[in-house]
Amino acid sequence: TVSCSTCHAQERAFTDGQTKSVGVSGNETHRNAMALFNVGYQRRLFWDVRTIGIENQVLQPIEHPDEMAMDLDELTERLTGMEHYKALFIDAFGDEEITEDRIASALSQFVLCMHSYSSRFDAGLENDFIHFTAAEVLGKDIFFNGDSRCNQCHSGLNFFSTQAFINGLELDYAAAGDGGIGDLTGLPQDDGRFKTVSLRNVGLTAPYMHDGRFSDLRAVVDFYSDNIVQHPYLDERFSDNGIGPPGQVPYQLALSEAEREGLVAFLHTLSDTVITSHPAFSSPF
């Protein structure tokens, strides 16, 4: 009744549009489903970066009691009993034996094929953004101008960071229900520290944040403009002066209406025009 694609739908850049996903148990999972693309650039996975490497990640949702709730021994037995898979495993591995390691390898290789680089922004890099609207140009300038600090956390062509940040959603994340990395380490300086996700395809992956609290991009922009909370370990990138130590007074960008709408318009230019419909990533059944 539940597959990987239940929570990672192609048309949504491999997310599900839910605040928190619902698996085979019928219960909400702990966090918002993360997008799947350009995973090869990411060493640490999950919102709390607890797992290193895609091959160590792909089987965990299958075992999770609220996601697929399937014992891995049962998984290999079930696939072994399905004629459909025999020829595929022979093509991939040389014989029809189905093992846990081979399943992890096959799933990992498929996810690693999900490259996202065909957006209007990518086209703009080639043609100097001649097809961008005035609002999109304004938003691009704000994103990269340094004052907004957007690209200090969402940098490079993948618009992400290998670091996890505390971004001031809460004063006490653990008390609010999810301490992120802090729930694993027990350290106050990790309370609310979460993975910095790629902004590619962000226009397709609502709702936003680890708990899906923001329904649209405008709400995200408004938060970063006006409503960052002064957490004791708030990352210095969100402080008034932009440098250490952490925990300072949050900045107030106080963006104008045009600037907010421009940022939203620019973020939508990061949506891939190929990956969401390419048959290579569509259901074979």
Side-chain angles (χ1 to χ4, degrees), residues 160-193:
F160 83 132
S161 174
T162 57
Q163 300 179 64
F165 298 117
I166 297 172
N167 64 348
L169 287 170
E170 305 281 356
L171 176 63
D172 187 333
Y173 287 78
D178 192 346
I181 295 175
D183 285 348
L184 302 178
T185 67
L187 300 174
Q189 59 266 37
D190 286 334
D191 174 57
R193 194 176 300 281

Side-chain angles (χ1 to χ4, degrees), residues 58-59 63 72-73 75-76 98-106:
V58 290
L59 298 182
E63 294 182 289
L72 293 180
D73 288 337
L75 173 64
T76 56
I98 298 178
T99 67
E100 182 179 317
D101 286 345
R102 286 182 171 185
I103 294 169
S105 178

Side-chain angles (χ1 to χ4, degrees), residues 198-259:
S198 171
L199 292 185
R200 283 189 173 271
N201 299 304
V202 71
L204 304 172
T205 60
Y208 304 105
M209 303 298 173
H210 66 281
D211 55 4
R213 67 176 63 194
F214 295 134
S215 62
D216 53 46
L217 285 174
R218 176 58 188 264
V220 176
V221 170
D222 287 345
F223 165 74
Y224 281 119
S225 174
D226 308 320
N227 299 314
I228 297 173
V229 176
Q230 189 176 2
H231 183 282
Y233 292 95
L234 178 70
D235 191 271
E236 59 269 17
R237 293 165 182 80
F238 302 108
S239 68
D240 269 344
N241 64 13
I243 58 176
Q248 299 177 63
V249 174
Y251 64 22
Q252 293 282 317
L253 288 178
L255 297 171
S256 70
E257 179 66 19
E259 290 171 329

